[in-house]
Amino acid sequence: MRQYTGLDQLINSFDQALRSLVPGATASQRANPAHNEAAQLCVSDARHVAGLMRVNHSGEVCAQALYHGQALTAKLPHVRKEMQHAAIEEQDHLAWCEDRLKELDSHTSVLNPIWYGLSYGMGAIAGIAGDKYSLGFVAETERQVSQHLQEHLQQLPEHDDRSRKILEQMNEDELQHRDTALQAGGVVELPAPVRITMTAISKLMTKTSYYL
């Protein structure tokens, strides 16, 4: 098996960032859950749904960055493999959210590079701290993401089945990633300052990405 040099890893990290941040650079491996659904929205509902989907897209950008950062610094091979596998599944979410935003004649957040950089750094630090903390970080991240998705599902217009199908599948995947992290050893409770920082960044991202 080839041993990657520091330069190889740097190039790979840059490629991963581009795939996460450049619109249209990521293609889903699974079919869009909304492909058989319909949605007729008025202008105000479409604007609101676009804001929600933009937030969810930014959340997936953050998830990509977290997994990429953790995979870079994870110490155990099986943990690194879990991070890489989860990141691949999260790419589907990126593509689905972006597709829905295009349907709504809207755009992804201009702040995504900032969220990616912050999340990548936090993921790398979690990996350096140790695999049990890295897995615990994943479990807590997925718990918070699932909470946001459930809140957004409640806010969707009743007749927007296209967005609903996407968010339901995303939530199912996030919960599976959380359970996988817990089963792999991520049962350690993160320090309070870490949880508070994660929540603060999440709230800031949610409030700003809805509009920008």
Side-chain angles (χ1 to χ4, degrees), residues 1-202:
M1 182 178 295
R2 177 182 175 183
Q3 296 296 317
Y4 290 101
T5 66
L7 180 58
D8 290 332
Q9 293 178 340
L10 180 63
I11 293 173
N12 185 52
S13 295
F14 185 68
D15 178 70
Q16 290 172 334
L18 287 178
R19 290 178 183 275
S20 299
L21 296 171
V22 176
T26 298
S28 62
Q29 296 187 1
R30 291 176 289 174
N32 191 318
H35 70 283
N36 286 327
E37 304 298 334
Q40 295 292 328
L41 303 177
C42 65
V43 174
S44 59
D45 281 348
R47 186 179 300 114
H48 176 57
V49 172
L52 296 179
M53 296 306 291
R54 185 159 40 250
V55 170
N56 291 317
H57 182 273
S58 292
E60 296 305 320
V61 168
C62 292
Q64 284 285 302
L66 285 169
Y67 285 129
H68 293 158
Q70 288 171 302
L72 181 67
T73 57
K75 296 175 177 61
L76 297 178
H78 77 277
V79 173
R80 186 179 302 110
K81 185 176 180 179
E82 287 291 345
M83 300 300 175
Q84 293 169 340
H85 176 71
I88 290 173
E89 288 194 346
E90 299 280 355
Q91 288 176 4
D92 290 345
H93 301 174
L94 272 178
W96 297 341
C97 288
E98 188 175 331
D99 287 345
R100 188 65 182 125
L101 283 167
K102 288 179 181 177
E103 292 173 357
L104 295 165
D105 195 25
S106 192
H107 58 86
T108 58
S109 175
V110 298
L111 301 175
N112 280 343
I114 296 175
W115 308 135
Y116 187 94
L118 288 173
S119 299
Y120 188 93
M122 292 179 66
I125 292 172
I128 292 172
D131 288 321
K132 65 178 183 179
Y133 287 103
S134 185
L135 290 166
F137 196 79
V138 170
E140 176 62 20
T141 297
E142 299 294 14
R143 184 193 69 79
Q144 292 190 17
V145 171
S146 175
Q147 182 178 349
H148 280 299
L149 288 170
Q150 292 177 49
E151 291 173 356
H152 286 184
L153 280 166
Q154 295 177 355
Q155 295 181 44
L156 287 176
E158 184 177 354
H159 45 283
D160 186 5
D161 291 332
R162 291 188 67 79
S163 299
R164 191 175 309 280
K165 285 294 185 180
I166 293 173
L167 297 191
E168 286 176 346
Q169 184 60 56
M170 287 172 60
N171 187 51
E172 181 179 328
D173 292 343
E174 306 297 359
L175 291 175
Q176 182 178 352
H177 294 162
R178 181 203 62 183
D179 292 344
T180 299
L182 291 173
Q183 293 168 7
V187 294
V188 62
E189 184 175 359
L190 298 178
V194 175
R195 297 197 306 273
I196 292 173
T197 300
M198 291 174 65
T199 300
I201 292 176
S202 176

